Amino acid sequence: MCHHCVIENVKSGMLSRRDFFKGTAAAGVAAVAVAASPTPLFAQTPAKAEDLTHEIWDKFPTYFGGQQLFIEQKFSHAKDTFNLNEWRISEHTGTHIDAPLHFTADGKSVAELPVEDLIAPLVVIDIRAKAAENEDSQVTPDDIKAWTDANGDLPDGAVIAMLSGWDAHVATDKFRNLGDDGKTMHFPGFHVEAVKQLLEGTSKAIAVDTLSLDFGASPDFIVHNTWLPSGRYGIEGVANLGSVPAKGATIVVGAPKIKGATGGPARIFAFV
Ligand SMILES: [Zn+2]
């Protein structure tokens, strides 16, 4: 095609596009009204991103105590001119998702979580002071009230995160923090009464910087059993929550899209 023809083609393309927009202007108003989200994904242009994800390695502390990530090299650069590993990993390893299917017979798998639930305003409830004094601390309705007293109502469709400061212990035994009985763990989590309160609102997920949505000494997974059957999800082992504000950040949850999975390691960001 000659230079002139290209220009003419572009021109006519622009014209027909203009006609298209003109012709559909009336319908366009209605379409925009439908397409516009009542809650924009980002309230403001973010200035930076924080990584809320722990690096996973084979000895990453686990709820059950055993190794949950195994890496086997299948190809090596020296021998094969490229590197490639194969993993065997528990779905609930490292910074990871608890999908509704984790604690229900037929709830949503992690792959079925709608994308609009994976991007949300991030609410950070800071219980570091009481967690430092009492490792069995839980996020209670009083902690939620302290947050709303300081910051206003919980945003619609938020992810509510517990900041206990426990991520700092990830490389030590204190992350699991086995008690003297050798089987009961002691780390913070959500209290079921706080979770019941959140269920009355629009929160999409709860998140913790420990190994479990329930506090470590919980005998019955009551928070898991209360929250996940509602069709909402959880995030465990979140890192770096101390770097984001109590209010105003947007969380982006890179949940794995693995068919039928009850959860899975996720790369999680906060845009601040
Ligand atoms: Zn869990």
Side-chain angles (χ1 to χ4, degrees):
M1 199 183 283
C2 69
H3 183 67
H4 175 76
C5 305
V6 171
I7 291 174
E8 283 307 307
N9 256 17
V10 170
K11 268 194 209 158
S12 68
M14 285 168 75
L15 274 177
S16 58
R17 228 172 306 162
R18 216 177 294 154
D19 290 345
F20 171 80
F21 281 120
K22 229 188 291 170
T24 56
V29 172
V32 167
V34 171
S37 166
T39 49
L41 286 181
F42 290 90
Q44 57 191 28
T45 306
K48 61 173 177 166
E50 296 286 354
D51 194 343
L52 305 185
T53 319
H54 283 295
E55 184 177 56
I56 306 177
W57 73 100
D58 59 355
K59 303 289 190 304
F60 192 95
T62 64
Y63 185 86
F64 295 106
Q67 184 175 340
Q68 290 187 177
L69 170 63
F70 303 84
I71 299 180
E72 186 184 339
Q73 185 162 33
K74 302 301 250 187
F75 296 90
S76 75
H77 193 271
K79 185 163 155 281
D80 308 300
T81 73
F82 63 95
N83 289 313
L84 192 153
N85 303 323
E86 188 171 273
W87 311 337
R88 178 161 64 87
I89 189 167
S90 161
E91 292 170 332
H92 297 263
T93 304
T95 304
H96 72 274
I97 308 299
D98 277 14
L101 182 58
H102 189 32
F103 269 72
T104 55
D106 55 2
K108 273 182 285 199
S109 73
V110 70
E112 291 168 328
L113 293 175
V115 68
E116 58 268 26
D117 283 3
L118 302 177
I119 304 171
L122 177 60
V123 165
V124 179
I125 298 183
D126 186 350
I127 63 160
R128 281 178 291 188
K130 74 175 183 181
E133 281 182 13
N134 176 7
E135 52 212 9
D136 296 323
S137 290
Q138 300 175 67
V139 175
T140 64
D142 282 347
D143 295 311
I144 297 174
K145 183 170 185 308
W147 192 95
T148 55
D149 284 350
N151 300 288
D153 290 341
L154 295 175
D156 284 341
V159 170
I160 313 295
M162 173 190 80
L163 166 58
S164 72
W166 225 250
D167 61 335
H169 306 310
V170 73
T172 73
D173 288 343
K174 183 149 185 188
F175 200 65
R176 297 184 75 242
N177 203 24
L178 269 188
D180 293 338
D181 66 359
K183 57 183 183 186
T184 307
M185 292 179 284
H186 295 276
F187 54 75
F190 273 86
H191 192 285
V192 67
E193 290 304 325
V195 163
K196 284 180 183 167
Q197 184 182 327
L198 293 175
L199 282 177
E200 291 168 11
T202 59
S203 300
K204 293 169 177 172
I206 55 175
V208 294
D209 54 3
T210 56
L211 279 170
S212 177
L213 304 176
D214 285 271
F215 77 126
S218 166
D220 53 11
F221 294 119
I222 184 68
V223 166
H224 281 82
N225 276 313
T226 303
W227 183 255
L228 298 177
S230 75
R232 308 176 207 210
Y233 67 101
I235 315 171
E236 294 173 330
V238 177
N240 208 20
L241 281 170
S243 69
V244 298
K247 176 188 184 179
T250 299
I251 191 170
V252 176
V253 181
K257 203 166 182 177
I258 295 180
K259 190 170 185 170
T262 70
R267 192 71 185 258
I268 299 179
F269 307 99
F271 289 97
V272 181

